[in-house]
Amino acid sequence: FLIDNILPVRVPGLLAAVGGLGKSYILLDLCMKVAGGDQSLHQEKALGGNILKNGKVVFLGAEDSADSIHRRLESIAGPNLAQRAAGNLFVVPLPDAGGPVALIQNAMGKYTVTPQYLDIRQQLIDLGNIALVVIDPLQAFAHADINTDPAAGQFWWTLMSELCVSINANVIIAHHMRKEGTFSIKKSAQAREAI
């Protein structure tokens, strides 16, 4: 497990909520703790459990600038965690790096990976000792209708599963939920429908 009894290693995950509730903040907190934890001295907790695997973490963020990310990281971690995470935490604020890139695309009805995806995948493999990759948010990285086309969704999640296995790490993707009716959800099926 990456997080004890919550997130098995080498499995893609989805963190979904309406906009503005703090998905990016929660994921940055997780990233800092995975990158800065040390099982012998500083076992960290996140998302309701103990973090059991530490290593390098890559956060690909399409919505927040470098300044915004730095402010968030400073508010999350004290100097000790920040110092422990240094060298293991790689945050890529895409607004400052030319904007988001598509990882998959729909080309005349066929879903394919992009050259940018292949480049990122190879860079992750070359980095080695990765524990976690975060993609925030899904819609900025998929030039396909993931929400309504089951084939697009299947293509995306199959690709993310293969990436997890290739880099021996978890991949967590942030995704927005539909705002309409979200706060009246009572059952898991209703939550799934709102994603």
Side-chain angles (χ1 to χ4, degrees):
F1 285 90
L2 176 71
I3 301 176
D4 194 22
N5 289 318
I6 296 173
L7 288 176
V9 172
R10 295 173 34 149
V11 174
L14 179 74
L15 180 68
V18 295
L21 287 184
K23 294 179 296 297
S24 298
Y25 192 88
I26 288 169
L27 289 170
L28 281 169
D29 177 72
L30 174 62
C31 290
M32 288 287 291
K33 291 174 177 176
V34 170
D38 178 341
Q39 295 305 308
S40 61
L41 298 172
H42 302 283
Q43 185 175 51
E44 300 287 343
K45 291 181 177 284
L47 301 177
N50 291 326
I51 295 173
L52 299 182
K53 182 180 178 186
N54 300 102
K56 295 174 184 168
V57 177
V58 176
F59 182 98
L60 300 173
E63 294 181 334
D64 297 308
S65 68
D67 290 342
S68 177
I69 294 281
H70 281 287
R71 281 191 302 275
R72 288 177 180 210
L73 291 174
E74 287 172 11
S75 71
I76 290 169
N80 290 335
L81 180 57
Q83 188 175 43
R84 291 193 316 265
N88 275 342
L89 179 62
F90 304 89
V91 178
V92 183
L94 291 169
D96 292 284
V101 296
L103 303 182
I104 68 168
Q105 62 189 355
N106 182 348
M108 295 192 293
K110 181 179 179 188
Y111 297 107
T112 61
V113 298
T114 63
Q116 293 86 352
Y117 169 77
L118 294 173
D119 185 44
I120 290 169
R121 181 184 180 277
Q122 189 60 52
Q123 288 181 51
L124 292 171
I125 291 169
D126 294 345
L127 190 58
N129 190 33
I130 296 177
L132 176 63
V133 174
V134 171
I135 297 172
D136 181 28
L138 170 60
Q139 59 271 24
F141 294 90
H143 286 187
D145 192 356
I146 299 282
N147 291 319
T148 61
D149 184 356
Q154 185 63 51
F155 185 83
W156 174 267
W157 289 108
T158 301
L159 188 66
M160 292 301 105
S161 293
E162 187 279 331
L163 181 61
C164 287
V165 171
S166 295
I167 62 174
N168 194 35
N170 287 76
V171 176
I172 298 177
I173 296 103
H175 189 46
H176 295 291
M177 293 176 78
R178 180 181 64 236
K179 290 181 181 178
E180 182 181 314
T182 301
F183 294 104
S184 63
I185 291 173
K186 303 283 188 233
K187 298 178 181 178
S188 60
Q190 292 171 313
R192 184 181 176 115
E193 182 63 28
I195 294 173

